Amino acid sequence: MREPTRTILSERTDEGVSQAAAMDDDATDVVESAGHFRLYLGAAAGVGKTFAMLSEGHRRQKRGTDVVVGFVECHRRPSTEELCDGLEIVARRMIEYRGSEFEEMDLDAVLARRPQVALVDELAHTNIPGSRHHKRWEDVIEILAAGIDVISTVNIQHLESIADAVEQMTGAQVQERVPDWVVRKADQIELVDSSPEQLRRRMLHGNIYPKEKVPQALTHFFRTDNLIALRELALRFLADETEEDLLEHLRRHQAKNVWETTERILVAVTAAPGTDMLLRRAARIAARVKGELDVVHVIAVDGSREKDQKAIDSLRDLAADIGARWHELQEEDTVGAITGFAREHQITQIVIGSSQRSRWQELRSGGSIVRRIIQEAGAIGIDVHVIARRQMPPGETTEDSSGGQT
């Protein structure tokens, strides 16, 4: 048996993650769990998540860890069933529903057994009515709260924020969903990866679905274009998680230099006429380098002038339209605010508008804001784009786009 390709892309702690769970009223009392949560994420069924979970269970058991199988779904796959041998399996609970009996994980039995690690497959599973919880992820949260480590599995389409997009893309309904905060709660997320071609071959050989379901699967959900898109969704989700972890690490260790793991663009704006063109130019720069865009508006400590508010509101709406993040900073030192934000958020490029002030005006106001931004940003390795501004009519004065008076 060949073990599936696996790539660790995200490893995180519960710090800062459990706050999101507070939005779910049913989970607020258990989000601060003592158990360690590891999650195997896949683009689709058949990539090898359950295989990876059981293999990890065997590795830990060999190291002396007390491991049990809380629930595993083998889907009649011989290789998966063989991998269960040698692991203690907690007996399932039988639940009668509408005249038939169904097997579910026996949550009480797992809690009473109190292993060090419980393997719980298919995080998105909906429990049969009559179970204590509606969803299996709620069972997992309770197990974690009891101080038991959990290793689980989930496919990318089951994330609440992604499910609708997958439905539109594949034409298949995603009935079972997991709140994003539950997945993000994982201390470690590991991608179990497989190419679309390999998945389709496994499907043809009957290693994923029963043979009678293979033709429909290959012509619908398991089409090559669908699998490519699902794989990209999984990679992007894990990349975002890793990016958040990296930024948190750099903030925590007060890193002085910029790590160019990806491009992050900052554009500094004010209410000056023509700043909308500057913002659109910054958006094009971000799009070309496939980078994120942050828009920073620095407000003087005494507040913005009321007459400028309409222009600022318009810029904020434009930022939302182009998919940028809007930030307002209340600082006396405009340059310090911009470069401080850039350092904290690991910005790689700053976009500002050129100043139209005379040399005398710059000397009276303490020097060129544009020059100071270039100097301070350069000292920490951030590139600066100075975008030419349109000529203003004689006698007209506005703020320049980096926060000073023209």
Short mmCIF file of all heavy atoms in Angstrom, two decimals, residues 21-66:
data_model
loop_
_atom_site.label_atom_id
_atom_site.label_comp_id
_atom_site.label_asym_id
_atom_site.label_seq_id
_atom_site.Cartn_x
_atom_site.Cartn_y
_atom_site.Cartn_z
N ALA A 21 -14.98 31.32 17.98
CA ALA A 21 -16.00 30.36 18.42
C ALA A 21 -17.03 31.02 19.32
O ALA A 21 -18.15 30.53 19.45
CB ALA A 21 -15.33 29.21 19.17
N ALA A 22 -16.65 32.12 19.95
CA ALA A 22 -17.59 32.78 20.85
C ALA A 22 -18.82 33.27 20.11
O ALA A 22 -19.86 33.54 20.72
CB ALA A 22 -16.90 33.95 21.54
N MET A 23 -18.74 33.37 18.79
CA MET A 23 -19.89 33.79 18.00
C MET A 23 -20.95 32.70 17.92
O MET A 23 -22.09 32.95 17.59
CB MET A 23 -19.43 34.17 16.59
CG MET A 23 -18.46 35.35 16.57
SD MET A 23 -17.79 35.63 14.94
CE MET A 23 -19.27 36.05 14.05
N ASP A 24 -20.55 31.47 18.21
CA ASP A 24 -21.49 30.35 18.16
C ASP A 24 -21.99 30.10 19.58
O ASP A 24 -21.28 29.60 20.42
CB ASP A 24 -20.77 29.11 17.62
CG ASP A 24 -21.76 28.00 17.31
OD1 ASP A 24 -22.60 27.71 18.16
OD2 ASP A 24 -21.65 27.42 16.21
N ASP A 25 -23.24 30.45 19.86
CA ASP A 25 -23.77 30.37 21.21
C ASP A 25 -23.71 28.97 21.79
O ASP A 25 -23.59 28.79 23.00
CB ASP A 25 -25.23 30.86 21.25
CG ASP A 25 -25.33 32.33 20.93
OD1 ASP A 25 -24.33 33.04 21.14
OD2 ASP A 25 -26.41 32.77 20.48
N ASP A 26 -23.80 27.95 20.92
CA ASP A 26 -23.82 26.59 21.42
C ASP A 26 -22.45 26.10 21.82
O ASP A 26 -22.30 25.04 22.40
CB ASP A 26 -24.38 25.64 20.34
CG ASP A 26 -25.84 25.95 20.04
OD1 ASP A 26 -26.53 26.43 20.95
OD2 ASP A 26 -26.27 25.70 18.90
N ALA A 27 -21.39 26.85 21.46
CA ALA A 27 -20.05 26.34 21.71
C ALA A 27 -19.24 27.20 22.66
O ALA A 27 -18.11 26.89 22.94
CB ALA A 27 -19.31 26.21 20.37
N THR A 28 -19.81 28.28 23.16
CA THR A 28 -19.02 29.23 23.93
C THR A 28 -18.47 28.65 25.21
O THR A 28 -17.45 29.11 25.71
CB THR A 28 -19.87 30.47 24.27
OG1 THR A 28 -21.09 30.04 24.88
CG2 THR A 28 -20.18 31.27 23.04
N ASP A 29 -19.11 27.63 25.74
CA ASP A 29 -18.66 27.11 27.02
C ASP A 29 -17.58 26.04 26.88
O ASP A 29 -17.05 25.56 27.88
CB ASP A 29 -19.85 26.52 27.80
CG ASP A 29 -20.57 25.44 27.02
OD1 ASP A 29 -20.43 25.43 25.79
OD2 ASP A 29 -21.25 24.62 27.65
N VAL A 30 -17.22 25.66 25.64
CA VAL A 30 -16.24 24.58 25.50
C VAL A 30 -15.10 24.92 24.56
O VAL A 30 -14.27 24.08 24.27
CB VAL A 30 -16.93 23.30 24.98
CG1 VAL A 30 -17.86 22.73 26.01
CG2 VAL A 30 -17.65 23.53 23.67
N VAL A 31 -15.01 26.17 24.09
CA VAL A 31 -14.00 26.47 23.09
C VAL A 31 -12.59 26.47 23.64
O VAL A 31 -11.64 26.26 22.91
CB VAL A 31 -14.29 27.83 22.41
CG1 VAL A 31 -15.55 27.75 21.60
CG2 VAL A 31 -14.37 28.95 23.44
N GLU A 32 -12.42 26.75 24.93
CA GLU A 32 -11.09 26.72 25.51
C GLU A 32 -10.77 25.28 25.92
O GLU A 32 -10.90 24.90 27.07
CB GLU A 32 -11.02 27.68 26.71
CG GLU A 32 -11.14 29.14 26.33
CD GLU A 32 -9.97 29.61 25.47
OE1 GLU A 32 -8.90 28.96 25.47
OE2 GLU A 32 -10.12 30.63 24.80
N SER A 33 -10.39 24.45 24.96
CA SER A 33 -10.21 23.03 25.24
C SER A 33 -8.79 22.75 25.68
O SER A 33 -7.86 23.48 25.37
CB SER A 33 -10.54 22.22 23.99
OG SER A 33 -9.61 22.53 22.97
N ALA A 34 -8.65 21.65 26.42
CA ALA A 34 -7.33 21.22 26.86
C ALA A 34 -6.70 20.26 25.88
O ALA A 34 -5.49 20.09 25.85
CB ALA A 34 -7.44 20.57 28.24
N GLY A 35 -7.53 19.58 25.07
CA GLY A 35 -7.00 18.61 24.13
C GLY A 35 -6.36 19.25 22.92
O GLY A 35 -6.71 20.36 22.51
N HIS A 36 -5.40 18.56 22.33
CA HIS A 36 -4.72 19.02 21.12
C HIS A 36 -5.48 18.50 19.91
O HIS A 36 -5.82 17.32 19.84
CB HIS A 36 -3.28 18.50 21.13
CG HIS A 36 -2.44 19.02 20.02
ND1 HIS A 36 -2.45 18.47 18.76
CD2 HIS A 36 -1.55 20.04 19.98
CE1 HIS A 36 -1.60 19.14 17.99
NE2 HIS A 36 -1.03 20.09 18.69
N PHE A 37 -5.74 19.38 18.93
CA PHE A 37 -6.60 19.05 17.80
C PHE A 37 -5.77 19.04 16.51
O PHE A 37 -5.21 20.05 16.12
CB PHE A 37 -7.73 20.08 17.71
CG PHE A 37 -8.78 19.80 16.67
CD1 PHE A 37 -8.99 18.53 16.16
CD2 PHE A 37 -9.59 20.84 16.20
CE1 PHE A 37 -9.97 18.28 15.21
CE2 PHE A 37 -10.57 20.61 15.25
CZ PHE A 37 -10.76 19.34 14.75
N ARG A 38 -5.70 17.87 15.88
CA ARG A 38 -4.99 17.74 14.60
C ARG A 38 -6.00 17.36 13.53
O ARG A 38 -6.84 16.48 13.74
CB ARG A 38 -3.90 16.68 14.71
CG ARG A 38 -3.12 16.48 13.40
CD ARG A 38 -1.88 15.65 13.65
NE ARG A 38 -1.09 15.49 12.44
CZ ARG A 38 0.16 15.07 12.42
NH1 ARG A 38 0.77 14.78 13.56
NH2 ARG A 38 0.81 14.94 11.28
N LEU A 39 -5.88 17.99 12.37
CA LEU A 39 -6.89 17.81 11.33
C LEU A 39 -6.21 17.51 10.00
O LEU A 39 -5.29 18.23 9.58
CB LEU A 39 -7.74 19.07 11.21
CG LEU A 39 -8.98 19.02 10.31
CD1 LEU A 39 -9.96 17.96 10.80
CD2 LEU A 39 -9.66 20.38 10.27
N TYR A 40 -6.68 16.44 9.34
CA TYR A 40 -6.22 16.13 7.99
C TYR A 40 -7.25 16.68 7.00
O TYR A 40 -8.42 16.30 7.03
CB TYR A 40 -6.06 14.62 7.80
CG TYR A 40 -4.83 14.07 8.49
CD1 TYR A 40 -4.92 13.41 9.71
CD2 TYR A 40 -3.57 14.23 7.92
CE1 TYR A 40 -3.80 12.91 10.35
CE2 TYR A 40 -2.43 13.74 8.55
CZ TYR A 40 -2.56 13.08 9.76
OH TYR A 40 -1.43 12.61 10.39
N LEU A 41 -6.80 17.56 6.14
CA LEU A 41 -7.67 18.26 5.18
C LEU A 41 -7.40 17.73 3.77
O LEU A 41 -6.24 17.57 3.37
CB LEU A 41 -7.40 19.76 5.23
CG LEU A 41 -8.11 20.64 4.21
CD1 LEU A 41 -9.61 20.72 4.50
CD2 LEU A 41 -7.50 22.04 4.18
N GLY A 42 -8.48 17.49 3.02
CA GLY A 42 -8.33 17.02 1.65
C GLY A 42 -9.18 17.81 0.68
O GLY A 42 -10.13 18.49 1.07
N ALA A 43 -8.84 17.73 -0.61
CA ALA A 43 -9.61 18.42 -1.64
C ALA A 43 -10.88 17.65 -1.99
O ALA A 43 -11.87 18.25 -2.41
CB ALA A 43 -8.76 18.61 -2.90
N ALA A 44 -10.87 16.33 -1.78
CA ALA A 44 -12.03 15.52 -2.15
C ALA A 44 -11.90 14.15 -1.49
O ALA A 44 -10.84 13.79 -0.96
CB ALA A 44 -12.13 15.37 -3.67
N ALA A 45 -12.98 13.38 -1.57
CA ALA A 45 -12.93 12.01 -1.06
C ALA A 45 -11.89 11.22 -1.84
O ALA A 45 -11.71 11.41 -3.04
CB ALA A 45 -14.31 11.36 -1.22
N GLY A 46 -11.20 10.32 -1.13
CA GLY A 46 -10.25 9.44 -1.80
C GLY A 46 -8.82 9.90 -1.82
O GLY A 46 -7.94 9.16 -2.31
N VAL A 47 -8.51 11.09 -1.28
CA VAL A 47 -7.13 11.54 -1.30
C VAL A 47 -6.27 10.79 -0.28
O VAL A 47 -5.04 10.76 -0.39
CB VAL A 47 -7.01 13.06 -1.04
CG1 VAL A 47 -7.67 13.85 -2.16
CG2 VAL A 47 -7.59 13.44 0.31
N GLY A 48 -6.91 10.20 0.73
CA GLY A 48 -6.14 9.43 1.71
C GLY A 48 -6.15 10.00 3.12
O GLY A 48 -5.25 9.72 3.91
N LYS A 49 -7.17 10.78 3.45
CA LYS A 49 -7.23 11.41 4.79
C LYS A 49 -7.37 10.36 5.89
O LYS A 49 -6.67 10.41 6.90
CB LYS A 49 -8.41 12.39 4.87
CG LYS A 49 -8.40 13.49 3.85
CD LYS A 49 -9.59 14.39 3.99
CE LYS A 49 -10.92 13.66 3.87
NZ LYS A 49 -11.10 12.97 2.59
N THR A 50 -8.30 9.42 5.71
CA THR A 50 -8.52 8.40 6.73
C THR A 50 -7.29 7.51 6.86
O THR A 50 -6.89 7.14 7.97
CB THR A 50 -9.75 7.55 6.37
OG1 THR A 50 -10.90 8.41 6.24
CG2 THR A 50 -10.04 6.52 7.45
N PHE A 51 -6.67 7.19 5.73
CA PHE A 51 -5.43 6.41 5.73
C PHE A 51 -4.36 7.14 6.55
O PHE A 51 -3.67 6.54 7.38
CB PHE A 51 -4.96 6.21 4.29
CG PHE A 51 -3.85 5.22 4.11
CD1 PHE A 51 -4.12 3.95 3.61
CD2 PHE A 51 -2.55 5.53 4.45
CE1 PHE A 51 -3.09 3.02 3.44
CE2 PHE A 51 -1.53 4.60 4.30
CZ PHE A 51 -1.80 3.34 3.79
N ALA A 52 -4.23 8.45 6.32
CA ALA A 52 -3.24 9.24 7.05
C ALA A 52 -3.55 9.29 8.54
O ALA A 52 -2.66 9.20 9.38
CB ALA A 52 -3.19 10.66 6.48
N MET A 53 -4.83 9.43 8.89
CA MET A 53 -5.24 9.49 10.29
C MET A 53 -4.92 8.18 11.01
O MET A 53 -4.36 8.18 12.11
CB MET A 53 -6.74 9.79 10.38
CG MET A 53 -7.28 9.86 11.81
SD MET A 53 -9.10 9.98 11.86
CE MET A 53 -9.55 8.29 11.37
N LEU A 54 -5.27 7.05 10.38
CA LEU A 54 -5.00 5.76 11.00
C LEU A 54 -3.51 5.48 11.09
O LEU A 54 -3.02 4.92 12.08
CB LEU A 54 -5.70 4.65 10.21
CG LEU A 54 -7.24 4.66 10.27
CD1 LEU A 54 -7.82 3.68 9.26
CD2 LEU A 54 -7.73 4.32 11.67
N SER A 55 -2.76 5.90 10.07
CA SER A 55 -1.30 5.71 10.09
C SER A 55 -0.69 6.50 11.25
O SER A 55 0.21 6.01 11.95
CB SER A 55 -0.68 6.16 8.77
OG SER A 55 -1.15 5.36 7.69
N GLU A 56 -1.18 7.70 11.46
CA GLU A 56 -0.70 8.51 12.58
C GLU A 56 -1.06 7.85 13.91
O GLU A 56 -0.27 7.88 14.86
CB GLU A 56 -1.30 9.91 12.50
CG GLU A 56 -0.90 10.84 13.64
CD GLU A 56 0.59 11.16 13.65
OE1 GLU A 56 1.25 10.98 12.60
OE2 GLU A 56 1.08 11.59 14.71
N GLY A 57 -2.25 7.23 13.98
CA GLY A 57 -2.64 6.51 15.19
C GLY A 57 -1.67 5.38 15.50
O GLY A 57 -1.27 5.18 16.66
N HIS A 58 -1.28 4.63 14.47
CA HIS A 58 -0.32 3.54 14.67
C HIS A 58 1.04 4.07 15.12
O HIS A 58 1.68 3.48 16.01
CB HIS A 58 -0.16 2.73 13.38
CG HIS A 58 -1.25 1.74 13.15
ND1 HIS A 58 -1.34 0.55 13.85
CD2 HIS A 58 -2.31 1.75 12.28
CE1 HIS A 58 -2.39 -0.14 13.43
NE2 HIS A 58 -3.00 0.57 12.48
N ARG A 59 1.50 5.17 14.51
CA ARG A 59 2.80 5.73 14.89
C ARG A 59 2.80 6.14 16.36
O ARG A 59 3.75 5.88 17.10
CB ARG A 59 3.14 6.92 13.99
CG ARG A 59 3.65 6.54 12.61
CD ARG A 59 4.25 7.72 11.89
NE ARG A 59 3.22 8.71 11.56
CZ ARG A 59 2.50 8.68 10.45
NH1 ARG A 59 2.68 7.69 9.57
NH2 ARG A 59 1.61 9.62 10.19
N ARG A 60 1.71 6.79 16.77
CA ARG A 60 1.65 7.24 18.17
C ARG A 60 1.55 6.06 19.13
O ARG A 60 2.12 6.09 20.21
CB ARG A 60 0.47 8.19 18.35
CG ARG A 60 0.62 9.48 17.56
CD ARG A 60 -0.29 10.56 18.07
NE ARG A 60 -0.22 11.76 17.24
CZ ARG A 60 -0.68 12.93 17.62
NH1 ARG A 60 -1.25 13.08 18.80
NH2 ARG A 60 -0.59 13.99 16.82
N GLN A 61 0.80 5.06 18.72
CA GLN A 61 0.67 3.88 19.58
C GLN A 61 2.03 3.20 19.77
O GLN A 61 2.37 2.76 20.88
CB GLN A 61 -0.32 2.90 18.97
CG GLN A 61 -0.66 1.71 19.86
CD GLN A 61 -1.66 0.79 19.18
OE1 GLN A 61 -1.35 0.12 18.20
NE2 GLN A 61 -2.88 0.77 19.70
N LYS A 62 2.83 3.14 18.71
CA LYS A 62 4.16 2.54 18.82
C LYS A 62 5.07 3.33 19.74
O LYS A 62 6.02 2.78 20.32
CB LYS A 62 4.79 2.42 17.43
CG LYS A 62 4.17 1.34 16.56
CD LYS A 62 4.78 1.31 15.17
CE LYS A 62 4.12 0.24 14.31
NZ LYS A 62 4.66 0.22 12.92
N ARG A 63 4.79 4.64 19.86
CA ARG A 63 5.59 5.48 20.77
C ARG A 63 5.07 5.41 22.20
O ARG A 63 5.58 6.11 23.08
CB ARG A 63 5.59 6.93 20.29
CG ARG A 63 6.26 7.15 18.94
CD ARG A 63 6.58 8.62 18.72
NE ARG A 63 5.39 9.46 18.70
CZ ARG A 63 4.77 9.83 17.59
NH1 ARG A 63 5.22 9.40 16.41
NH2 ARG A 63 3.71 10.61 17.64
N GLY A 64 4.05 4.58 22.44
CA GLY A 64 3.55 4.40 23.79
C GLY A 64 2.33 5.23 24.14
O GLY A 64 1.89 5.24 25.30
N THR A 65 1.74 5.91 23.16
CA THR A 65 0.55 6.73 23.41
C THR A 65 -0.70 5.85 23.44
O THR A 65 -0.83 4.91 22.65
CB THR A 65 0.40 7.80 22.31
OG1 THR A 65 1.59 8.59 22.26
CG2 THR A 65 -0.79 8.72 22.59
N ASP A 66 -1.62 6.17 24.32
CA ASP A 66 -2.89 5.44 24.43
C ASP A 66 -3.84 5.99 23.37
O ASP A 66 -4.39 7.08 23.50
CB ASP A 66 -3.47 5.62 25.83
CG ASP A 66 -4.78 4.86 26.02
OD1 ASP A 66 -5.05 3.95 25.23
OD2 ASP A 66 -5.52 5.20 26.97
#
